[in-house]
Amino acid sequence: MPEGEMTTSWGKATNLMHLQFFLLVFLPLLWIYVNLPELADLVLIYLVIAVFGSLVVLIERMSPKGTPWAVMGINTENLGQQVLSAVSIAVVTIIVGGREGVIVPVRIPAETFMRIYLWGYALMAVEELLFTQVILATVEERLGIVPGALIAAVTFVVFHWRIYGWNFRILMALTLYRIVAGILSGLYKSVVPTSFPHLIINVLAAARFG
């Protein structure tokens, strides 16, 4: 969280973000895991990540000086600049990586609405909980903004290798996206520059028939 006293705006926005994560991501994923066996294997991985990330956030918020982690939330100051930079990053990432490469059709056994919800929103939110709220925030706090953005970008790209494989163009585009967005998130103390491009790319991918 921000150094010193946590600002009221940061606290309210971040609390709201965590509440919506529980209501709109964790609980629906748990329902899908129990009731839709064809999606259970995929969802289980993300439920484990969600539980781990949520525990880290909860512990850090309760005792910020007593844990080895840091947590990044939403900073509503300069929100318009954050959104504009995020949209620009998404557009550049799609251009550099190639539309047919970055926006990969989602091949999961689900109807369009479920596919968009899962891939476009829920799974993206879980990944951002881990890679931005926890990993990026922690490494940036310990090593600085630029080294933290580099390390967090590498972990993100390694995780997504299972989707894109050894496609240098796409991996380069994702790496540049996460480095630039990670630096901006560090400067703004906000998840928006990293999370919003991820949302845009994933929604576009999920909307394609796979």
Side-chain angles (χ1 to χ4, degrees):
M1 62 180 61
E3 294 180 2
E5 192 73 21
M6 184 177 68
T7 64
T8 301
S9 62
W10 189 95
K12 288 182 177 179
T14 302
N15 289 339
L16 182 61
M17 177 180 69
H18 292 151
L19 177 62
Q20 68 85 21
F21 180 86
F22 179 74
L23 295 176
L24 302 180
V25 177
F26 182 77
L27 289 181
L29 286 181
L30 189 60
W31 183 91
I32 290 170
Y33 175 73
V34 172
N35 293 282
L36 301 177
E38 66 274 18
L39 297 173
D41 290 342
L42 172 66
V43 169
L44 178 60
I45 298 171
Y46 283 85
L47 279 173
V48 171
I49 295 174
V51 170
F52 169 77
S54 297
L55 286 175
V56 169
V57 169
L58 178 62
I59 294 170
E60 201 278 342
R61 293 293 297 276
M62 292 175 62
S63 179
K65 295 184 178 180
T67 68
W69 309 297
V71 171
M72 187 176 292
I74 291 181
N75 182 4
T76 55
E77 294 181 8
N78 301 310
L79 186 59
Q81 294 178 17
Q82 296 181 54
V83 172
L84 181 61
S85 65
V87 172
S88 301
I89 289 171
V91 171
V92 171
T93 301
I94 293 170
I95 292 173
V96 173
R99 187 178 69 86
E100 297 299 321
V102 174
I103 306 177
V104 177
V106 180
R107 294 177 174 84
I108 58 177
E111 297 298 326
T112 301
F113 176 79
M114 179 64 75
R115 194 167 66 241
I116 292 176
Y117 166 75
L118 273 178
W119 197 262
Y121 175 66
L123 303 188
M124 175 280 303
V126 173
E127 291 178 5
E128 288 301 318
L129 171 64
L130 177 64
F131 293 109
T132 299
Q133 292 186 55
V134 176
I135 293 178
L136 178 65
T138 300
V139 182
E140 285 192 344
E141 183 176 273
R142 293 183 173 276
L143 301 179
I145 290 178
V146 175
L150 288 169
I151 293 173
V154 170
T155 62
F156 181 86
V157 171
V158 169
F159 182 82
H160 286 80
W161 174 85
R162 63 193 172 87
I163 299 172
Y164 297 108
W166 294 107
N167 188 314
F168 176 76
R169 180 180 178 182
I170 298 174
L171 296 179
M172 179 185 68
L174 290 180
T175 302
L176 290 175
Y177 144 47
R178 295 302 290 196
I179 291 174
V180 174
I183 291 173
L184 290 175
S185 280
L187 293 174
Y188 284 115
K189 303 296 182 186
S190 176
V191 301
V192 173
T194 46
S195 300
F196 200 54
H198 197 176
L199 175 68
I200 293 171
I201 292 171
N202 276 32
V203 167
L204 292 174
R208 295 183 64 188
F209 179 76

